[in-house]
Amino acid sequence: MGEKCKPDSQELYKLWSTDDFFDCDTRNELKKIAGDAAEIEERFYKYLEFGTAGLRGIMGAGTNRMNIYTVSLASEAFARYIDSLSAEQKQRGLVISYDSRHNSLDFAKKSALVFAKHGIPVRLVDELRPTPMLSFAVRYYNCIGGVMITASHNPAKYNGYKAYGEDGGQMPPEAADVIMREMAGIEDVRTLQWLDETTAVAQGLLTYVGRDLDTAFQNMLLQVQIDKDVVKRHKDLKIVYTPLCGCGNKPVNRILKAIGFENVITVPEEEKPDGDFASIPYPNPEEACAWVRAIKLANKVDADLVIATDPDSDRTGLLVKKTDGTYQILSGNQIGLLLMEYILSAKVATKSLAPDSFVVTTIVSTALAEKIAASYGVKCFLTLTGFKYIGEKIKQYHETGLAHFVFGFEESFGFLAETEVRDKDAVVACMLISEMAAKAADSHKTVNDLLQDLFRKYGYGTEKVFSLVREGIQGQKQIAGAMAALRADETKLKFPDLQIVAVEDYLSGTVKNCLTGEVKALDMPVKSDVLRFKFANNTDFVAIRPSGTEPKLKVYCAAYAESESDSRAKAELMAEVMHKTLDGIM
């Protein structure tokens, strides 16, 4: 929160563990850590911070934990922001959804009742729904904003609170700053109030939505489908799908069935919502541990395609069958390139590619995206990391009629191919990946064949992404220290046979020419804590940034060459240097 209300950990601990305002479970949980100064400090040294990604943290009792009180605090601040708008905007209300995590329904309902206390109408989903459906619902119901209770792909001990603006995109920085200031002004959580559910429903301030939203969302997706005939020819394509115990099961299976696929097999152990994620340590399609059961089932049924969605169904993972019959996990960059090539080529074939079309990706995603876009005469915009920035490009160019949005993606397994959702959408990605596989089957090819064709056409790229996890107070200091050290002296990074020629600092908004020392302004309107180091060939790069939602430093190494082996070797060298250097600094 603000500096004036920086909490004293021991005083807050005493308040939360003894005051009757807090429920019995909260007080009992805290009494169990009595005398553990380090644990008390960890739980109470700060309030969970509200950023452009909302809140995210470990569930438990304390100001630095996700619980009904921190969620209510965020909702109170959000409500005060809405109170500052016009009466018409306020009456448009909010829509709230939630995922399969422990406490998600409780957090969603408590949030709704805080808004109701302010006279702000809330539509609450009648069962869990994915993040892209929440984004769609904000626009569909013409709401002033929305809330999604989710920690996305984090481990089971986490939960989160994502705030959305009226365009269906995540809250822009200016509005998030207002909400953050409102949170900082609430010095005593015991002042928080909410309506009871019966009163909120009776006054029309809380309504439940479901079936109409499902129908509208599916009808929208059907308009995004490109080749309606190809699925008819390959309706028996064998697709193994896992929602990883999240909320993708119903919408993904519905849309695949609606477009004609008849052989979709859902991993049974991971089909139903489960806050423990069937003991998967990281329910994230980026992680190999998330694919164990899917691969086992794929081998059993000899699947043509294997797809996964994360718990809130905004990220999509993909396995492809190699020539030796084994299954390979594709990177987010590879999936994004495949979808971009398929969508653009299919639209050219159907003469539906508008001459002013554009695609969007991020500064840490693959450089091959720009090559693909250029080959189709399509503009490729680069944004900061965070899908809200891709949504802002849609608002800036598509909504104003200046250009036509076709596709956007980021390397962290996020994809979008429609304009009525302003966040990454795993449901539409599953639909288009399956359609792409059916189209490949027309030529007796697999998706892996498509990937190899793409590399032969545009050159080989290897992008290695890894994270250095540093939890707690000390971890925050280590991550900040590493960023500061490399800002001060980029020569700490020494790459054999590779020369850093430029450093792009997206926090200062500058780019430094390392050969001449000249510093210029970056063409990026928004600032972010990202450093990107470019090499002499102007395509290879390494980048680092602190995660906005997890206690980790993310590292990106991208290398491009005429052969797969050369690009891989170069990327592995980059990763080795980055790992060794950052470990040494931290």
Side-chain angles (χ1 to χ4, degrees):
M1 288 190 160
E3 191 64 33
K4 68 183 179 65
C5 54
K6 185 177 179 180
D8 177 274
S9 300
Q10 288 293 336
E11 288 182 7
L12 282 174
Y13 169 74
K14 183 178 179 181
L15 175 70
W16 279 58
S17 60
T18 60
D19 196 290
D20 288 342
F21 174 80
F22 301 95
D23 63 86
C24 290
D25 289 342
T26 294
R27 285 181 275 137
N28 289 336
E29 179 183 335
L30 291 172
K31 287 173 183 175
K32 292 177 182 178
I33 64 168
D36 188 340
E39 180 65 14
I40 290 171
E41 177 72 7
E42 182 63 38
R43 286 174 181 250
F44 288 98
Y45 82 96
K46 69 171 184 175
Y47 287 86
L48 278 181
E49 296 174 357
F50 191 101
T52 53
L55 303 175
R56 191 174 298 185
I58 296 170
M59 287 179 279
T63 58
N64 188 36
R65 292 290 185 267
M66 281 293 295
N67 50 64
I68 59 170
Y69 306 106
T70 51
V71 165
S72 297
L73 189 64
S75 297
E76 174 67 23
F78 196 176
R80 292 184 183 186
Y81 165 74
I82 295 173
D83 283 342
S84 71
L85 306 177
S86 70
E88 182 274 332
Q89 289 173 305
K90 181 174 178 177
Q91 286 308 304
R92 285 162 58 190
L94 295 165
V95 60
I96 299 178
S97 185
Y98 59 94
D99 70 2
S100 61
R101 290 177 179 273
H102 293 304
N103 301 311
S104 282
L105 174 57
D106 291 339
F107 292 168
K109 190 170 290 187
K110 185 64 73 173
S111 298
L113 298 176
V114 171
F115 290 117
K117 181 68 176 177
H118 283 257
I120 300 168
V122 174
R123 292 177 171 89
L124 178 62
V125 295
D126 60 5
E127 65 177 23
L128 73 174
R129 295 293 194 297
T131 288
M133 287 188 72
L134 181 279
S135 175
F136 173 81
V138 172
R139 299 175 62 83
Y140 177 68
Y141 293 118
N142 190 34
C143 293
I144 196 62
V147 172
M148 181 71 195
I149 304 296
T150 180
S152 190
H153 56 289
N154 281 48
K157 66 181 179 179
Y158 285 84
N159 212 328
Y161 180 108
K162 293 168 70 173
Y164 287 77
E166 63 181 321
D167 68 339
Q170 288 187 44
M171 194 64 68
E174 300 80 11
D177 287 345
V178 174
I179 297 172
M180 190 185 304
R181 288 195 297 271
E182 289 288 352
M183 284 185 71
I186 304 169
E187 298 190 17
D188 189 344
V189 295
R190 293 173 298 175
T191 62
L192 297 174
Q193 299 180 45
W194 42 80
L195 286 186
D196 64 89
E197 183 176 359
T198 301
T199 302
V201 171
Q203 293 181 1
L205 293 169
L206 176 60
T207 56
Y208 289 90
V209 296
R211 185 172 298 179
D212 64 323
L213 177 59
D214 295 336
T215 300
F217 184 70
Q218 181 162 308
N219 288 340
M220 179 274 296
L221 291 178
L222 291 172
Q223 299 304 310
V224 180
Q225 187 185 10
I226 302 171
D227 191 334
K228 293 178 171 57
D229 294 324
V230 70
V231 178
K232 297 176 183 177
R233 296 193 293 272
H234 302 283
K235 62 183 180 181
D236 292 328
L237 193 75
K238 200 172 294 183
I239 303 170
V240 164
Y241 166 64
T242 174
L244 296 178
C245 302
C247 47
N249 181 45
K250 288 185 178 180
V252 170
N253 273 294
R254 272 198 302 260
I255 194 61
L256 293 181
K257 181 179 180 181
I259 65 174
F261 287 108
E262 298 178 355
N263 204 1
V264 180
I265 309 159
T266 304
V267 177
E269 301 93 334
E270 299 165 7
E271 180 176 5
K272 294 182 179 179
D274 173 15
D276 292 320
F277 306 115
S279 299
I280 301 169
Y282 296 97
N284 180 358
E286 296 179 73
E287 304 288 345
C289 62
W291 291 99
V292 174
R293 295 188 186 99
I295 291 174
K296 183 178 180 181
L297 180 58
N299 282 319
K300 180 180 178 180
V301 303
D302 191 27
D304 299 300
L305 198 63
V306 191
I307 310 173
T309 55
D310 71 340
D312 67 323
S313 198
D314 65 347
R315 295 171 189 249
T316 317
L318 175 62
L319 297 182
V320 295
K321 186 188 290 185
K322 298 193 295 184
T323 53
D324 63 2
T326 61
Y327 292 94
Q328 173 187 345
I329 303 174
L330 295 193
S331 70
N333 280 315
Q334 290 171 332
I335 301 169
L337 293 172
L338 281 167
L339 282 172
M340 182 182 289
E341 173 74 5
Y342 171 67
I343 292 168
L344 292 175
S345 64
K347 284 184 174 291
V348 166
T350 57
K351 298 181 180 179
S352 59
L353 184 66
D356 55 354
S357 293
F358 71 95
V359 296
V360 193
T361 189
T362 75
I363 57 172
V364 297
S365 298
T366 174
L368 294 181
E370 295 175 89
K371 283 191 173 184
I372 293 176
S375 74
Y376 289 96
V378 168
K379 173 71 175 177
C380 182
F381 291 107
L382 299 183
T383 73
L384 296 173
T385 57
F387 228 83
K388 59 182 173 289
Y389 297 115
I390 293 177
E392 286 176 4
K393 287 298 180 186
I394 299 174
K395 187 174 184 179
Q396 180 182 358
Y397 290 96
H398 186 93
E399 284 190 4
T400 58
L402 293 174
H404 183 83
F405 174 76
V406 176
F407 182 65
F409 80 95
E410 58 184 11
E411 54 74 35
S412 54
F413 290 65
F415 315 101
L416 181 65
E418 73 269 34
T419 59
E420 290 308 308
V421 171
R422 297 299 170 86
D423 208 338
K424 44 192 176 285
D425 183 358
V427 185
V428 78
C430 288
M431 180 185 78
L432 291 175
I433 287 170
S434 302
E435 181 184 309
M436 174 178 69
K439 185 66 175 177
D442 269 351
S443 304
H444 305 288
K445 290 185 175 183
T446 66
V447 175
N448 186 55
D449 293 329
L450 296 182
L451 183 63
Q452 300 311 312
D453 289 347
L454 186 149
F455 283 144
R456 283 189 287 269
K457 182 177 180 181
Y458 298 105
Y460 289 87
T462 302
E463 295 89 16
K464 297 185 73 67
V465 182
F466 66 92
S467 298
L468 299 174
V469 177
R470 297 291 189 274
E471 294 187 321
I473 304 170
Q474 188 60 29
Q476 284 190 332
K477 292 178 181 178
Q478 290 174 338
I479 289 171
M483 295 297 295
L486 290 182
R487 277 196 168 89
D489 183 10
E490 73 276 358
T491 63
K492 290 181 182 294
L493 293 174
K494 298 184 179 357
F495 298 91
D497 302 322
L498 292 172
Q499 181 183 19
I500 296 175
V501 297
V503 180
E504 297 171 342
D505 187 340
Y506 290 85
L507 190 60
S508 66
T510 60
V511 54
K512 174 186 174 182
N513 186 317
C514 297
L515 303 180
T516 65
E518 182 183 14
V519 177
K520 293 183 178 180
L522 271 172
D523 184 20
M524 189 68 68
V526 182
K527 294 184 178 182
S528 184
D529 193 5
V530 182
L531 288 172
R532 193 165 80 137
F533 304 87
K534 299 187 71 174
F535 296 96
N537 67 359
N538 206 37
T539 55
D540 296 347
F541 69 86
V542 295
I544 59 171
R545 70 176 183 90
S547 170
T549 56
E550 298 170 89
K552 61 176 62 172
L553 185 65
K554 298 198 73 171
V555 184
Y556 308 81
C557 305
Y560 304 92
E562 293 184 4
S563 74
E564 184 178 8
S565 59
D566 286 349
S567 71
R568 186 188 304 113
K570 193 161 42 167
E572 288 174 352
L573 171 64
M574 291 175 176
E576 181 181 346
V577 170
M578 293 301 290
H579 217 301
K580 183 177 180 180
T581 303
L582 290 169
D583 269 339
I585 294 173
M586 293 195 289

